[in-house]
Amino acid sequence: MASGLWFDVGTGNWRDTKGRKTGGPDLIDLIEARETRVVLAAAHLDHDPRNNRLSNLRALCQRCHLVHDRAWHALQRRLTWKSRYALGDLFEGPYRPGILGVATAQADAGSATNR
């Protein structure tokens, strides 16, 4: 539900966003309620997949797992871009990211074969 209420099937109670027992939603909210399946993922709190101690693991939904790893993914994306940039400079000349770089590289390759 938009309000964050959810129904705990195991106990038969409605719960709030923090998991505390609460009263159920009003009739309009109950009509608009839908059933959603939540898939949990094991998140490494220190971002090290080799560290599998229980104190380092949390079961998070996919959205919360992505939010937890947001800074880590940004760092990895930057490192990947930097390494591609360096490899492009080393083996293929200046790296031109994006679709314009692809079009330019194809044009350069086409003009080289037409000679």
Side-chain angles (χ1 to χ4, degrees):
M1 301 185 86
S3 63
L5 291 178
W6 57 279
F7 186 72
D8 185 356
V9 178
T11 63
N13 296 316
W14 283 93
R15 300 201 177 265
D16 64 9
T17 55
K18 296 189 180 200
R20 295 180 298 221
K21 204 182 328 183
T22 186
D26 64 4
L27 185 58
I28 301 299
D29 287 339
L30 189 57
I31 290 170
E32 294 174 353
R34 64 176 193 250
E35 188 173 317
T36 303
R37 184 177 176 170
V38 176
V39 178
L40 296 180
H44 293 87
L45 299 180
D46 67 355
H47 306 289
D48 183 4
R50 297 169 296 174
N51 183 0
N52 290 320
R53 285 180 280 163
L54 288 179
S55 62
N56 187 47
L57 298 175
R58 289 291 182 277
L60 300 176
C61 71
Q62 292 171 336
R63 180 184 177 280
C64 292
H65 195 171
L66 285 172
V67 168
H68 170 70
D69 286 342
R70 181 179 290 148
W72 177 255
H73 288 295
L75 176 65
Q76 291 300 104
R77 186 171 50 249
R78 186 170 191 277
L79 290 174
T80 300
W81 188 85
K82 290 287 224 179
S83 66
R84 286 182 183 167
Y85 189 87
L87 286 174
D89 285 349
L90 183 62
F91 293 110
E92 300 171 1
Y95 180 63
R96 295 178 289 258
I99 192 69
L100 295 176
V102 172
T104 305
Q106 289 173 344
D108 291 346
S111 65
T113 57
N114 292 336
R115 291 181 193 168

